[in-house]
Each structure stands twice: as structure tokens, then as C-alpha cells.
Amino acid sequence: MAERLNITSRKELRAWLKGKPRDWLRAIAVRAALRVVPLMQRARRNREDVSLAVFRALSISLRVTLQPGDKSLRSAAYAAYAAAYAAAYAAAYAAAAADAAYAAYAADADAAAYAADAAADAADAADAADAAAADLWVSVSWDCQWLLTAGTGEPQTQAQKLVAQPLWPFSDVSTGTRSDEGLRRLWQLWDQFKASDTARDHGFAPWIAWYEALVPMGPNTEPHDFFGPALSHRIATQPNEWWKRGAKAVNADIAQWLAETPPADLALAADMEAVADHAPQQGPAAYRFGWQDDKIAAEPPAPASRQAAIAQDLLAAVREKAADLAERLARSNADPRVCRTIDRLLGTLPQEATALRPGVLLSQARAVLADAVIYGDPSSELPADAAAMLLDLSETTRDLQACYPELREIEVERAALALDPADAPRVQRGLNAVTQAARAADTVIDHSAAEALATMTATAAAEAPAAVQHKRIADYALVVRNFLSPVLRFAIANALAREVTDTTQKVWARAKPKIIRGSVDGLEAMSKPTVVIGIAAMVGHLLGPIAGVAALLAGFGRIDAVVKLLEKYLPKQPPPDGPAS
């Protein structure tokens, strides 16, 4: 096990952050600054202006961490930085908020410095108030350790998951359970701010509710954005003139917008964004699956005689699409990160498929996928056509990976490493339950898919040495993951489409393309009641076994996150007049 980190200074944190993903820097910075928000109560003058600047900077920084590809949010982060910086004369806690906002805006090198400054300024503020300075560095170290041990996945997803962890992982700030009483002092200051004339006379109730949704964040508290993605985006992107009207006017508008947005809509919008960011993807495995004639069908590996030709065709398609996207990006003010990703991909692709190095392809494909997750949103800084081209390139690159058995072996090895031998029998039983339910749903499952799943079931059940059988179960899990990808994406897209309201339409418009991308036939099937009802009925039987497998097999290809949302929305069965549009 890696030695536990013990970061205690600006210098040490800056050294640790060097070379780390930009998404990590943002999350560490905003969490550090959030921890000392209660110190606003110590402001000697213009407390309402300082408090608004701090809330503005931190709410926008948090939103950028959750939606890093949105150019309008990054521009808003810079404006918020300027406002918080102007207020920083008041105390180091305002400087911490300003640093977090600049880390949300800045390029990688600057972001590392400002993330370290955010933590250090927060610690300085806590130290000056005799309020949990030591606890703050312990918590920052915990954040860094958590990111190192969070497992595989895109840095953006890891950062988003970190934001959902307790701010004070070892304590309950509301009771100040640590012996030094620092956290108790911090919470006392927060109670004083809530009861202050400043909070009452200038209408800070919405911001108080927002902050308390994120803290105390004790070990049993699940944090969330009280405003939700739609309202948070609306607040963040208001022009400077709106913010300059003063805390009372700004807070009155926010209170009015909250009153116009039912709490259920806030939760729905957050769920839409969550599933868009965690839609399960297919990967290299013995079988891939897709829609065919309104049913889920298997796409078995092509015979060796055809495999080379297919690989050559797909390689040519990837090269052409990457070149077209590179040309399009050159004509836009695109994030240099995306341009570098596409340039590196083009630089590693040979003319002939026989010369392609599968390991290099795998590495570059993951980079393309990570950018597609961030910048494939219509609200991102990429032009809409470039975002669509990036998503298309990502899908075609994944198709190319399927032509190389070596990549399947790599995926199997990774899955086997993630599977505890003691859990393997339970995972196998769960996979068998999924297969059994799927094979029984013959109205929506093609015979080719049923046969593919049956083959994997029999292979995993065959007698073999323990190590061989362990790998077979891992291979089985990869195939089931691929099968579940189009099934669950269809089910959750249809379930959420039924819930769309006037206030969540824009969020759904951004989320839907991510959920259904690469599945045009599945989109057409959403208009057919028999398919919708058949998939919903089958998924209802699958949720239990899927949840069991996901709990034992880390991540299970993002499927666990979608299962939780399906458990929430699936009970609403389609009405007799057919599915939602």
C-alpha cells in the first residue's frame, strides 16, 4: 500500500500538483477554499460585498469542475476571480476563493500554482482564526490521496467524484469532534454568519442553503449542489453588471429563480447531467452489441479473412475523421488540449493497419474518449459541428480497437485484476442472472445476442484451472458490460425523456446526445411502444443482478451510476398511449 500523504505547506502541495491532471487541480482548489467559507463572519467591513464575491467565486469554480468543457463558465470564472481578488484585502479566505476561481480558468501550469495557493490561503485564514488549520491540511492531503487511489477512469470523472466526498473526511464539522476544537470554532462562526444582520438584510438565505448542501459533509452526509446544474449555470453566466448591483439585488433574483424552479426539477437536472457524464461505453471484448430491427443484436468478431480488411477500412476512416477535425479545430479558438489530442492521434496512425501498434492505439483512444466526454457537450467551447465530429471520431476509434484481439486481452487482464478471486463466484452468478433475464426477453433481444451471452455463460462454467476460470469470468463480465451498454442507455434515455419539464429542457438538450450517441437505430426504437415496454420490463429484472456485480467489480464500466438512476426513474411505466418523444 502506498504511504499516506502528509502535505503541510504551499511548497509541498505545489510540488505534488506538478504534472497532475487539470481536473484534479480544480477540485483540490475549490474544496480547500470551501472549507473556510465560515470565516466570512470575521470580515470587519463591507461583509455583504466580500461574502457575495466569495460565494460567486466558489459556486462558479465548483460548476467548472463539474462541467470543464463549458467555455462560458470558464469566462465567468475569470470574472469571479477578479471580483474575489478585489475583496481579498479583507482576509485570506477571500484570497482562497479567488485562487480557486483562477485555477478553474487558468492553463495547466498556472492552475497548479493557484490550486496550491488556494489551499495555503485557506490554511492561513484558518490559522489566523484559530479554526482548524491543521485539519485543513489533513483534509487537503486526504483529497490528494483519494485521487491517487480512486482507480482508473478519466481525470474529469475522478474530480467529479472527489467533489462528492466529505469536505472534512475525518470529522463532523457541525460537532467539532476533533480534539483541537478547530472545527467547532469554524461551525460557530458559520452559525453567527447565518444569524447576522448581513445575512438577513442582504438576503443570503439561498447561499446559506447552497453551502449547507455541501457541508457539514460529515462521513454520512451526501453533498450536492443545492441550485442544481441549470440554475447554477444561469447564475454563473450572469454579466458583471448584474453582479455589481450589490448583494441584496443579486440574492433577491436568485431567490426568485429558486421559487420558480421546483426542487424536483433541480434534482432531475442533476440526474440528467450525471447520466450524460457516465453513460456506459462498450470496449474490446469477444462480442459487441447494437440495435438491429428494433432488437439488441450481437456483432461477433469478423472472420480472420475479413478482419484485416475491416481494420484497414476503419483505420482509413479514423485518419480521415481525425484530419477533418484537426482542420476544423485550426479554424476555431479551440482548447489547445483537444488540438494536441488529435495531433497525437494522427501522429501515431500508420497508413497500413498491419503496422498499427494496438497499445499505442489504446492509449490515444482513451485520450480521445476523455476529450469527447468533456467537449462533446453542445454547451462546451467547441463549435457544435466540431463537438459532433469529436464524438464521431471517438466512436470510430473504439470500433477500430475491436479489430485487435490484443486489446481484448488487455481489457480482460485489467478486469481480472479488478476482480477479487473470493468474489468471482458471486460475480459469475450475477452475470448468469443478467444473461437469463436477457435471453427471456426475446421481443427486444435478437437471437444472435442471446446466443452470444449463452456462449459466454457456458465458457465461464466449463471446468478449468482456477487462474483460467478467473480470466474467463472477467471476459464474461466485459461481454455483459457491452450488452448492457445499449440496453441501459436506451432505458435511461427513455425514462428521463418522460420527466422533462419546461425548466429542464435545456439541460436535457445537452444531455441527450451524450446518452444516445452512436445509437441512431436505438433512437428510432424509442418511438415504438412495444420496444420501450419490452426494454423497461427486462431492465426491471436486471437491476438487482447488475447492482450486485457492480458492487463487486469496481466501476463495471460506469454501469453502476446508471443503475442507481434507473432504480429512481424506472418504476414510472410507459402510459398506454405510447412512449415519450
Side-chain angles (χ1 to χ4, degrees):
M1 180 179 292
E3 184 178 351
R4 182 169 296 279
L5 291 173
N6 183 27
I7 297 170
T8 59
S9 70
R10 186 191 312 257
K11 182 179 179 180
E12 290 176 3
L13 180 58
R14 186 173 293 190
W16 188 90
L17 291 173
K18 186 176 181 180
K20 298 300 189 296
R22 185 175 179 180
D23 299 287
W24 290 16
L25 309 180
R26 293 185 179 120
I28 289 171
V30 71
R31 283 169 59 82
L34 279 167
R35 293 181 175 109
V36 292
V37 163
L39 299 181
M40 295 185 305
Q41 175 60 17
R42 291 170 55 86
R44 299 298 184 188
R45 55 195 176 96
N46 298 332
R47 185 184 296 158
E48 67 276 10
D49 296 331
V50 173
S51 299
L52 182 63
V54 168
F55 281 130
R56 177 189 181 185
L58 294 181
S59 63
I60 294 174
S61 300
L62 180 64
R63 187 49 37 191
V64 173
T65 303
L66 298 173
Q67 290 179 263
D70 192 322
K71 186 177 182 179
S72 62
L73 286 175
R74 290 180 61 200
S75 299
Y78 184 80
Y81 153 74
Y85 184 79
Y89 68 85
Y93 60 81
D99 292 332
Y102 198 83
Y105 162 79
D108 292 9
D110 288 340
Y114 277 89
D117 288 345
D121 287 338
D124 289 346
D127 187 51
D130 192 24
D135 299 77
L136 190 139
W137 280 118
V138 169
S139 297
V140 169
S141 298
W142 185 91
D143 287 354
C144 298
Q145 189 84 42
W146 189 94
L147 288 167
L148 284 177
T149 58
T152 59
E154 298 90 356
Q156 178 195 359
T157 302
Q158 293 170 330
Q160 290 169 341
K161 289 183 177 180
L162 174 61
V163 168
Q165 303 304 311
L167 267 183
W168 302 96
F170 304 111
S171 307
D172 183 345
V173 71
S174 64
T175 59
T177 53
R178 293 186 66 85
S179 58
D180 60 16
E181 295 293 319
L183 292 174
R184 185 188 298 277
R185 170 62 176 156
L186 200 66
W187 202 244
Q188 288 173 343
L189 287 170
W190 178 247
D191 283 340
Q192 291 170 19
F193 176 78
K194 287 166 56 179
S196 68
D197 292 343
T198 298
R200 182 186 64 250
D201 296 344
H202 295 275
F204 276 97
W207 290 111
I208 291 170
W210 175 81
Y211 188 67
E212 291 190 342
L214 298 173
V215 292
M217 286 182 159
N220 298 318
T221 303
E222 183 175 348
H224 63 281
D225 183 351
F226 176 77
F227 293 154
L231 182 54
S232 288
H233 191 279
R234 182 178 184 180
I235 294 169
T237 53
Q238 292 300 312
N240 256 333
E241 291 72 19
W242 182 82
W243 290 98
K244 289 179 178 178
R245 296 176 305 148
K248 189 170 186 178
V250 167
N251 293 340
D253 281 355
I254 294 174
Q256 178 62 34
W257 295 340
L258 273 170
E260 295 169 356
T261 307
D265 283 0
L266 295 174
L268 175 61
D271 289 343
M272 288 174 174
E273 284 205 336
V275 74
D277 289 335
H278 298 91
Q281 304 289 325
Q282 297 192 58
Y287 295 92
R288 290 165 62 89
F289 300 83
W291 284 93
Q292 181 178 315
D293 298 329
D294 298 333
K295 291 186 176 183
I296 300 292
E299 302 170 357
S305 59
R306 291 183 52 214
Q307 193 78 0
I310 293 173
Q312 186 62 50
D313 290 343
L314 286 170
L315 174 59
V318 170
R319 286 178 57 86
E320 181 180 358
K321 291 177 180 180
D324 289 345
L325 178 55
E327 181 183 349
R328 178 65 185 89
L329 294 175
R331 292 186 282 110
S332 65
N333 187 26
D335 190 323
R337 163 179 165 162
V338 187
C339 299
R340 289 194 299 268
T341 297
I342 304 307
D343 288 343
R344 283 195 294 264
L345 176 64
L346 282 169
T348 59
L349 294 177
Q351 294 286 344
E352 300 297 326
T354 53
L356 192 149
R357 297 169 60 187
V360 175
L361 171 64
L362 178 63
S363 175
Q364 297 304 322
R366 286 176 176 161
V368 172
L369 175 61
D371 283 355
V373 169
I374 296 174
Y375 298 100
D377 192 308
S379 66
S380 77
E381 63 185 74
L382 288 186
D385 62 325
M389 293 168 73
L390 178 59
L391 290 172
D392 183 36
L393 174 62
S394 177
E395 293 291 333
T396 308
T397 305
R398 292 180 72 84
D399 291 339
L400 178 59
Q401 291 179 74
C403 294
Y404 292 87
E406 304 97 314
L407 298 185
R408 173 189 166 190
E409 288 301 317
I410 292 173
E411 291 294 313
V412 171
E413 290 290 349
R414 289 181 65 204
L417 287 172
L419 175 59
D420 189 324
D423 293 331
R426 293 167 60 195
V427 169
Q428 185 177 6
R429 289 193 294 272
L431 297 173
N432 289 344
V434 172
T435 297
Q436 183 177 0
R439 293 176 64 190
D442 55 5
T443 59
V444 289
I445 303 301
D446 183 75
H447 67 89
S448 62
E451 290 175 0
L453 294 172
T455 298
M456 298 306 300
T457 303
T459 301
E463 290 189 14
V468 173
Q469 190 166 33
H470 188 76
K471 285 186 63 174
R472 287 178 177 176
I473 294 172
D475 199 10
Y476 187 11
L478 293 179
V479 171
V480 171
R481 174 207 63 189
N482 280 1
F483 168 76
L484 290 173
S485 174
V487 171
L488 297 185
R489 286 166 71 173
F490 178 95
I492 193 63
N494 193 74
L496 290 175
R498 295 186 174 285
E499 305 290 332
V500 175
T501 63
D502 290 343
T503 55
T504 57
Q505 280 184 342
K506 290 184 178 179
V507 178
W508 179 237
R510 295 196 302 269
K512 184 177 179 181
K514 284 188 175 183
I515 299 172
I516 62 173
R517 66 173 179 242
S519 184
V520 175
D521 292 338
L523 180 59
E524 294 175 354
M526 286 181 67
S527 64
K528 300 178 180 180
T530 55
V531 180
V532 172
I533 294 171
I535 289 289
M538 178 183 68
V539 170
H541 293 293
L542 293 177
L543 291 183
I546 295 171
V549 172
L552 297 171
L553 196 56
F556 198 39
R558 298 183 174 184
I559 282 172
D560 49 347
V562 178
V563 167
K564 291 177 182 178
L565 293 177
L566 280 168
E567 290 173 341
K568 180 177 181 178
Y569 292 103
L570 195 61
K572 300 178 177 64
Q573 294 294 328
D577 59 349
S581 58

